[in-house]
DNA sequence: GACGAATATTCCCGCGCAGGTATATAAATG
DNA sequence: CATTTATATACCTGCGCGGGAATATTCGTC
């Protein structure tokens, strides 16, 4: 993985928020959509971008599509994700995103057929 | 400084190399140009971009223009620069850039009126 | 002030990306 | 199979960026 590709993935606000959220664990699209408060197509397209650039993996779970960070991230990615987590701690938007995610993750664990959105 | 702006500055190969080089200390444009082996206009425009985004500062020194990283970088920038330095250590291009810079910096210290290019 | 060296700017082009609208696919449910 | 939910894709638009060619500016030297 090229270092510059990591920065290409992070240089958009929405993508940056998504990656930061996935830092806290996997999420489905509709949860991301609700947390970010952005239109579905926007979230979906950024997820596609991230997937095509090796930044995220996805896995179908019934009607949901679960996105997660790579299981075995290369060293540069791990370093940058740690840095991102560190920096995000002082940012209001990132903090709010994380709080919302914490409220929604239990629903994912239950893994019912339909989303709670 | 917005976190995403840092990534915007680093998401281009040439800019990434420039910022990494400045991590090792200030450099003038013609030295950057020689190290990167890129046309002058390309280097100059990326430097302009970096300056307008608060990533670098510049100072005239005779005929030269010396570029450097900000004297008091905010926390997020410091963290990301450290991360970049760490990641760059394992990359052939960054290593070669740094080696070339080490050979040219003494000329900057002498600070004659004209460049040694 | 003429010249050369160092650097910046202007003008142009092409491409890729961000965003939106509408439509398509896939899965679960009845 | 029809419907609803979840997600993806196709198509269009506008804009900003990367890159090159040519020109301008700034500084030092003679």
């Amino acid at each position: 993985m090229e270092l510059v590709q990591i920065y290409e993935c992070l240089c958009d606000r929405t993508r940056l928020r998504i990656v930061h959220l996935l830092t806290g664990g996997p999420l489905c699209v509709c949860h991301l959509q609700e947390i970010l408060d952005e239109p579905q197509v926007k979230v979906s397209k950024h997820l596609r971008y991230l997937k095509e650039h090796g930044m995220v993996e996805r896995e179908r779970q019934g009607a949901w599509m679960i996105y997660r960070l790579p299981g075995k991230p290369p060293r540069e990615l791990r370093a940058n994700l740690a840095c991102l987590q560190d920096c995000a701690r002082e940012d209001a938007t990132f903090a709010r995103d994380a709080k919302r995610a914490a409220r929604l993750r239990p629903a994912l664990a239950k893994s019912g057929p339909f989303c709670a959105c």
Side-chain angles (χ1 to χ4, degrees), chain A:
Chain A
M1 183 171 214
E2 284 267 8
L3 186 53
V4 70
Q5 289 182 351
I6 296 177
Y7 296 123
E8 283 169 357
C9 287
L10 302 180
C11 72
D12 173 88
R13 258 194 177 73
T14 307
R15 285 200 296 269
L16 187 55
R17 290 173 72 193
I18 291 176
V19 171
H20 171 247
L21 279 167
L22 297 184
T23 279
L27 283 170
C28 72
V29 180
C30 59
H31 283 171
L32 283 168
Q33 186 181 336
E34 189 186 355
I35 296 169
L36 301 172
D37 192 28
E38 296 281 3
Q40 183 261 329
V41 60
K42 185 169 173 180
V43 175
S44 184
K45 284 205 285 190
H46 280 299
L47 285 170
R48 176 201 174 103
Y49 182 104
L50 291 172
K51 182 167 144 293
E52 283 176 347
H53 288 72
M55 179 63 84
V56 303
E57 298 168 352
R58 67 173 175 183
E59 171 202 354
R60 176 144 240 140
Q61 188 145 346
W64 300 2
M65 193 68 81
I66 313 291
Y67 282 81
R68 68 184 75 246
L69 295 178
K72 300 267 176 262
R75 192 178 124 78
E76 321 90 70
L77 181 51
R78 247 182 309 130
N80 275 285
L81 290 175
C83 187
L84 168 57
Q85 272 191 308
D86 182 46
C87 295
R89 219 172 291 129
E90 304 177 0
D91 180 286
T93 303
F94 289 128
R96 182 168 45 81
D97 287 352
K99 189 167 290 185
R100 289 182 180 179
R103 239 181 300 128
L104 291 176
R105 282 187 210 282
L108 246 185
K110 278 184 287 180
S111 199
F114 285 121
C115 187
C117 293

